[in-house]
Amino acid sequence: MNFTDITEDDEKAPLIEQRADPYIYYHTDGYYYFTASVPEYDRIEIRRAWFLKGLKDAEPFVIWRKHSDGPMSWHIWAPELHYINNKWYIYFAAGRAEDPWWIRTYVLENDSPDPFSGEWVEKGELKSEWDSFMLDTTTFEHKGKHYAVWAQKRQERTENSALYIAEMENPCKLKLPQTLLSVPEFDWECRGFKVNEGASVLKRNGKIFITYSASATDASYCMGLLYADENADLLKAESWKKSDKPVFVTDPAKKIFGPGHNSFTCNRDRNQDYLVYHARPYAEVDLPNALYDPNRHCWIKRISYDKKGFPLFQ
């Protein structure tokens, strides 16, 4: 193991404190880029480092701040940084100051090779098939096509959020209709709130894996798993299977409570995958106000795989 890799000792403490919904992207320029929700929910910042551990002390750079009112003026959540067709994009969720829970997904674009330079342009709302609570959008490429996966309140409004997938017409527009992937149905998905959110994609061992988070954002928060064959039609609901048990849950012995809203990255040699996730170091939190507890820290841990090629997180 290279000294720059993540070790067992590194897994015992947060990588970055008070950064929820962490997203790490390893770019072709050799840098690791990091973004996440900040406790104030009022801005989007990025940082970068040559090694994963360097992100801890890397200087945050604010690339955008919330509006004073109207769309994108409250609850700036879960930014993700993607590089698509030689441009940088950030997908994020935001509400309105006059209606904080009017959450929708928005897009920023930067055509500079360096995301710390150039201009971040607001490209507007990423619109789905109907208008409702929508957040935690991620994108991925597979066999020459780009897809988006996100959480949204169904038209039937029978739960807080469900997971959907659609192909992308371009980085700022979905190619509809969308496909329902998962709804909260098991007990571990419905504790406190009925939630499926925070999807992240991992392509390994002939499969497309989608992790997601479920239940309220206290110690009940946990991770579930969807998977499909890499040759399947990803827009067909029947292509996807769902684990009936969570794959990553609270571990009091390690002082990890409510793990979830993860992303994936790898070491510089690309031969070790890592799970990047947030969790609190304690269980006691006031559920109605859990989102305003700032101590959801970014943690990172190594991923192993079982004999069938499935990722192991716990």
Side-chain angles (χ1 to χ4, degrees):
M1 175 177 288
N2 190 293
F3 77 95
T4 60
D5 290 342
I6 299 299
T7 67
E8 183 177 354
D9 284 341
D10 295 322
E11 299 176 4
K12 296 177 181 178
L15 176 67
I16 302 172
E17 294 189 350
Q18 295 194 342
R19 289 299 181 268
D21 315 318
Y23 188 85
I24 295 179
Y25 169 60
Y26 183 29
H27 191 43
T28 54
D29 64 2
Y31 279 107
Y32 288 95
Y33 290 83
F34 174 87
T35 189
S37 298
V38 301
E40 298 82 6
Y41 298 148
D42 64 350
R43 65 190 184 274
I44 296 175
E45 60 181 35
I46 59 176
R47 64 177 77 182
R48 66 183 169 193
W50 198 246
F51 302 111
L52 281 166
K53 297 178 188 179
L55 291 170
K56 183 180 184 70
D57 299 316
E59 187 70 24
F61 179 73
V62 177
I63 59 115
W64 182 88
R65 292 186 183 275
K66 71 177 184 178
H67 293 194
S68 58
D69 54 30
M72 299 183 286
S73 61
W74 206 260
H75 283 159
I76 308 304
W77 286 346
E80 287 197 5
L81 179 69
H82 294 265
Y83 192 70
I84 305 172
N85 299 333
N86 299 315
K87 293 183 181 181
W88 292 98
Y89 292 90
I90 284 184
Y91 299 89
F92 68 101
R96 300 169 179 256
E98 57 272 26
D99 188 357
W101 299 103
W102 198 90
I103 304 290
R104 302 294 186 272
T105 293
Y106 300 91
V107 187
L108 303 177
E109 179 187 76
N110 189 340
D111 61 9
S112 170
D114 181 357
F116 287 75
S117 302
E119 180 184 4
W120 283 96
V121 178
E122 295 176 3
K123 303 299 288 186
E125 184 181 339
L126 187 70
K127 294 187 176 181
S128 65
E129 201 171 333
W130 59 88
D131 185 38
S132 68
F133 182 91
M134 177 181 175
L135 75 169
D136 296 350
T137 298
T138 191
T139 74
F140 70 100
E141 182 276 333
H142 186 58
K143 296 185 180 294
K145 296 181 179 180
H146 281 90
Y147 298 86
V149 181
W150 68 94
Q152 187 172 8
K153 187 180 286 289
R154 282 199 289 174
Q155 289 172 303
E156 297 85 353
R157 299 179 181 272
T158 51
E159 64 281 307
N160 298 90
S161 60
L163 292 180
Y164 291 89
I165 188 172
E167 191 179 338
M168 302 194 80
E169 188 170 313
N170 60 56
C172 303
K173 186 177 181 181
L174 298 174
K175 186 176 181 180
L176 303 171
Q178 62 202 55
T179 301
L180 178 64
L181 284 179
S182 175
V183 299
E185 56 187 306
F186 301 113
D187 171 72
W188 54 270
E189 298 177 294
C190 302
R191 294 173 183 169
F193 297 104
K194 296 180 179 180
V195 169
N196 281 178
E197 65 180 18
S200 188
V201 177
L202 178 66
K203 301 198 298 181
R204 291 290 183 272
N205 305 323
K207 293 182 175 63
I208 311 295
F209 298 102
I210 296 179
T211 52
Y212 65 93
S213 298
S215 289
T217 56
D218 58 4
S220 302
Y221 208 53
C222 60
M223 280 171 45
L225 183 69
L226 302 168
Y227 55 96
D229 185 273
E230 65 178 359
N231 296 313
D233 184 343
L234 302 184
L235 298 180
K236 289 186 176 180
E238 57 268 28
S239 297
W240 295 90
K241 296 181 180 179
K242 178 178 178 177
S243 172
D244 61 357
K245 295 180 176 58
V247 293
F248 195 24
V249 299
T250 286
D251 188 339
K254 295 181 179 179
K255 295 185 178 179
I256 291 173
F257 297 88
H261 202 127
N262 73 286
S263 59
F264 295 105
T265 191
C266 60
N267 64 357
R268 295 188 65 82
D269 294 330
R270 298 186 183 275
N271 58 9
Q272 173 64 63
D273 293 322
Y274 298 122
L275 175 73
V276 183
Y277 65 99
H278 75 226
R280 289 189 182 88
Y282 49 80
E284 297 76 18
V285 62
D286 180 18
L287 181 55
N289 299 304
L291 286 170
Y292 305 106
D293 179 308
N295 293 318
R296 290 186 294 172
H297 305 325
C298 169
W299 303 67
I300 189 167
K301 67 176 299 180
R302 295 162 296 172
I303 298 172
S304 59
Y305 293 88
D306 67 17
K307 293 180 179 179
K308 294 183 179 180
F310 281 70
L312 299 172
F313 304 114
Q314 199 74 32

